[in-house]
Amino acid sequence: MISVEGLAVEFSGTTLFSDVSFVINETDKIALMGKNGAGKSTMLKILAGVNKPNRGNVNAPKGSVIAYLPQHLLTKDDASVFEETSKAFQEIFTMKDQIEALNNELTTRTDYESDEYMKIIEQVSELSEQFYSMEEINYEAEVEKVLFGLGFLREDFTRSTSEFSGGWRMRIELAKILLQKPDLILLDEPTNHMDIDSIEWLEDFLVNNAKAVVVISHDRAFVDNITTRTIEITTGRIYDYKAKYSHYLELRQERREQQQRQFDDQQKYISDTQDFIDRFKGTYSKTNQVQSRVKMLEKLDIVEVDEIDSSALKLRFAPAIRSGNYPVVVNELTKKYGNHTVFEKASLSIERGEKVAFVGKNGEGKSTMIKAIMKEIDFTGSMEIGHKVQIGYFAQNQAALLDESLSVFDTIDEIAVGDIRTKIRDILGAFMFGGDSSAKKVKVLSGGERTRLAMIKLLLEPVNVLILDEPTNHLDMKTKDIIKDALRNFDGTLILVSHDRDFLDGLATKVFEFGNKRVKEHFEDVKGFLAKKKMESLSEIEKR
């Protein structure tokens, strides 16, 4: 059991949270929630021992292992994927080497009666007892199992970590954490850069193999599937719910409604009392009653209503001309990189107004197909773009194309037309560019901030075919809901590449599955596709 007692954090005179206390039990699966800037990542860093609070303590039993996966991290480039992942067992390997070294020293020494010789025997005994008390593990098999689960292929095992993107390096670090079997796992946005299969594997691992877990995530389905407790940070304090995320939302709404009723009742009482004081403050016979009521008001603790984002910003895409009946038609398209075939003789057609999802493991060709549609790569086969098609494209590197000399506000002001110009600051606020942030230059923005700005820019351009490649990374749930609502009302054609099932649910009505060098069309929505896919996976396991 890990206890948090009286934590307080202050930045530049502003209190992030104060006098926060809670307990993490041995098998708790906790979602740490709150709006951006509430202090979620700060809390995780304090639990991990990376940051120190201004006041308060985190107490853990002696020997407890706490493992932390931050949102942004790079592994070193001095090893292969398999070697780097195997470092999870470095402490055990070091202990084994120490035992061997001490035993060798005992065989070469002849001072059998000396104090030093006896000390070495004691060291060997202590280390050996600790080493042999550990459960016997096939380390290589464990490393393979976790790497496969997180989406790596066998040929990846010998590749240097330097060959992989930041997202894949994050998976390597996650693999090391999972293999250590810590007492507490702290995860900050672990599902960014993961495909659906890897997320499902991680869910299963955390539910069935991990001990205690605290996770920050904007993937609503992921949080709901793994957590049974929700801790919300709001207005400098916490609320602790013994409920999964979806139930927590209902309980939070009930709590705020109750607070509002108490606040309204108290305000009426204050108003009535003040009226009595004002009416009788000069009346001799009522002097004691007036003074009594004045003191009551002075001692009154005002009921606080927790902050709630009541903004109802509605984004609407700029109107565009109508495209032809089939904006995208692909016929027997093949793409190879050297000897590696991404897909072969793939065919698909997308009708005007359809909203489709490209799903499949990473590396199976989803982004490659989009690059083919955008004519960014060579291929064999045919690719027809329909009549009067205007494509808006959001790629994962879209942020790099922004003009760094402009401010955040000017970037959007340049392209906004019509009534939307009066709502620029509201839109920027919804995407976490409120207040002075809108005056920042693009060149000083972080990668996540640039991604959000590029998304706003795309939403305001007049297009009739919208292609979004992993659009929800770095976006919080409120922002994703705003975008999702806008996409539902988009009357053009939508192609989505995303691992975010909650985002796809109710948005994409057809699924194209990429895998085994093929593209397979499914006429179900995402929920139906996943249900069918699980059945197929079970049959494959039984056959094996």
Side-chain angles (χ1 to χ4, degrees), residues 160-175:
S160 169
T161 58
S162 62
E163 297 178 30
F164 291 85
S165 67
W168 282 96
R169 294 184 190 197
M170 187 75 78
R171 293 196 200 193
I172 295 169
E173 200 64 23
L174 177 58

Side-chain angles (χ1 to χ4, degrees), residues 412-444:
I412 303 306
D413 189 47
E414 265 196 350
I415 62 164
V417 294
D419 292 342
I420 205 72
R421 292 183 61 81
T422 64
K423 298 180 181 178
I424 291 177
R425 294 202 180 277
D426 291 336
I427 294 169
L428 291 174
F431 281 79
M432 294 172 281
F433 291 115
D436 295 339
S437 296
S438 64
K440 283 184 179 179
K441 293 289 186 184
V442 171
K443 64 184 177 184
V444 303

Side-chain angles (χ1 to χ4, degrees), residues 249-305:
L249 290 176
E250 298 171 6
L251 295 174
R252 183 185 65 177
Q253 182 62 28
E254 290 174 7
R255 184 190 83 221
R256 285 177 171 154
E257 287 173 358
Q258 184 181 14
Q259 286 176 338
Q260 189 64 53
R261 285 195 297 270
Q262 291 172 343
F263 177 81
D264 292 342
D265 289 345
Q266 188 182 62
Q267 290 299 305
K268 184 178 186 304
Y269 169 77
I270 291 171
S271 177
D272 292 346
T273 303
Q274 190 62 53
D275 286 345
F276 181 91
I277 293 168
D278 293 341
R279 188 186 313 162
F280 296 110
K281 62 184 174 182
T283 305
Y284 179 77
S285 62
K286 300 282 188 182
T287 299
N288 290 338
Q289 294 179 50
V290 168
Q291 289 177 345
S292 174
R293 281 167 170 76
V294 169
K295 288 178 181 178
M296 287 170 61
L297 288 184
E298 289 173 350
K299 293 179 180 179
L300 200 63
D301 289 328
I302 302 299
V303 173
E304 290 186 19
V305 180

Side-chain angles (χ1 to χ4, degrees), residues 40-154:
K40 301 187 298 296
S41 292
T42 301
M43 178 65 78
L44 224 56
K45 288 174 182 175
I46 291 172
L47 291 173
V50 175
N51 286 4
K52 298 291 183 186
N54 296 92
R55 294 183 301 280
N57 300 291
V58 176
N59 300 310
K62 187 178 179 181
S64 295
V65 178
I66 298 176
Y68 169 52
L69 182 76
Q71 196 173 146
H72 303 288
L73 172 122
L74 290 176
T75 57
K76 295 178 181 177
D77 291 330
D78 60 351
S80 68
V81 170
F82 195 90
E83 290 167 343
E84 182 65 34
T85 309
S86 298
K87 290 179 182 178
F89 302 109
Q90 190 61 54
E91 188 177 342
I92 297 172
F93 297 152
T94 301
M95 191 185 302
K96 186 178 180 182
D97 291 341
Q98 286 177 329
I99 293 170
E100 289 179 3
L102 290 170
N103 279 326
N104 287 335
E105 190 173 347
L106 287 175
T107 59
T108 57
R109 295 178 72 116
T110 56
D111 54 336
Y112 307 120
E113 304 299 327
S114 69
D115 290 341
E116 285 189 15
Y117 195 87
M118 296 307 294
K119 283 180 181 177
I120 295 172
I121 290 176
E122 288 175 9
Q123 280 183 280
V124 170
S125 298
E126 187 177 335
L127 282 171
S128 296
E129 185 178 348
Q130 192 177 347
F131 181 78
Y132 291 111
S133 68
M134 295 176 183
E135 184 182 345
E136 190 171 338
I137 299 173
N138 183 339
Y139 301 111
E140 291 190 355
E142 289 293 308
V143 171
E144 282 191 4
K145 183 169 71 174
V146 172
L147 287 177
F148 282 140
L150 291 174
F152 290 92
L153 304 174
R154 185 170 294 280

Side-chain angles (χ1 to χ4, degrees), residues 16-61:
L16 193 59
F17 42 78
S18 62
D19 197 26
V20 167
S21 300
F22 59 93
V23 168
I24 303 172
N25 299 302
E26 289 182 3
T27 57
D28 276 346
K29 305 294 190 296
I30 300 171
L32 192 59
M33 309 305 292
K35 73 171 193 174
N36 285 293
K40 301 187 298 296
S41 292
T42 301
M43 178 65 78
L44 224 56
K45 288 174 182 175
I46 291 172
L47 291 173
V50 175
N51 286 4
K52 298 291 183 186
N54 296 92
R55 294 183 301 280
N57 300 291
V58 176
N59 300 310

